[in-house]
Amino acid sequence: DPLSQNVGAEAGYSIVLVNSNVDWTVNENCSWVTCVPDSGSNDGAFAAVYEQNTGTEPRTCFLTINGLWLIQYFTLVQDGLVSINESG
């Protein structure tokens, strides 16, 4: 089952746990997420660091963790900014 997390529009990070007995690397398909570290060995974790979403629409980033016999998926969904209209 792919793991997923929904986060707010502000910048932040999510910790992703990796269950593995081999070397692994992380690949992301979006420019607004950076994985630190982007590789490891055996069981471990990495931070998916995301930038603020300045748009009003939610956005999704798909992360893939690859190893010799390992493939895991993590989906990060970030909310859009909520615009507040004040009428006088």
Side-chain angles (χ1 to χ4, degrees), residues 1 4 6 16 23 32 37 44 47 68 76 82 84:
D1 284 335
S4 65
N6 286 64
V16 182
D23 294 346
W32 51 275
L68 189 58
L76 186 67
V82 178
I84 301 171

Side-chain angles (χ1 to χ4, degrees), residues 10-88:
E10 65 280 355
Y13 66 93
S14 293
I15 299 296
V16 182
L17 300 178
V18 179
N19 297 314
S20 173
N21 60 358
V22 296
D23 294 346
W24 48 268
T25 58
V26 183
N27 297 298
E28 71 279 328
N29 73 334
C30 49
S31 61
W32 51 275
V33 174
T34 304
C35 295
V36 181
D38 62 359
S39 63
S41 294
N42 301 318
D43 290 345
F46 64 90
V49 182
Y50 47 88
E51 300 171 3
Q52 180 180 14
N53 186 356
T54 57
T56 56
E57 293 297 317
R59 58 187 180 177
T60 302
C61 185
F62 299 102
L63 310 179
T64 306
I65 301 109
N66 288 301
L68 189 58
W69 295 288
L70 166 80
I71 188 161
Q72 286 179 232
Y73 301 100
F74 183 80
T75 304
L76 186 67
V77 180
Q78 186 177 34
D79 295 337
L81 282 179
V82 178
S83 58
I84 301 171
N85 287 335
E86 293 185 24
S87 56

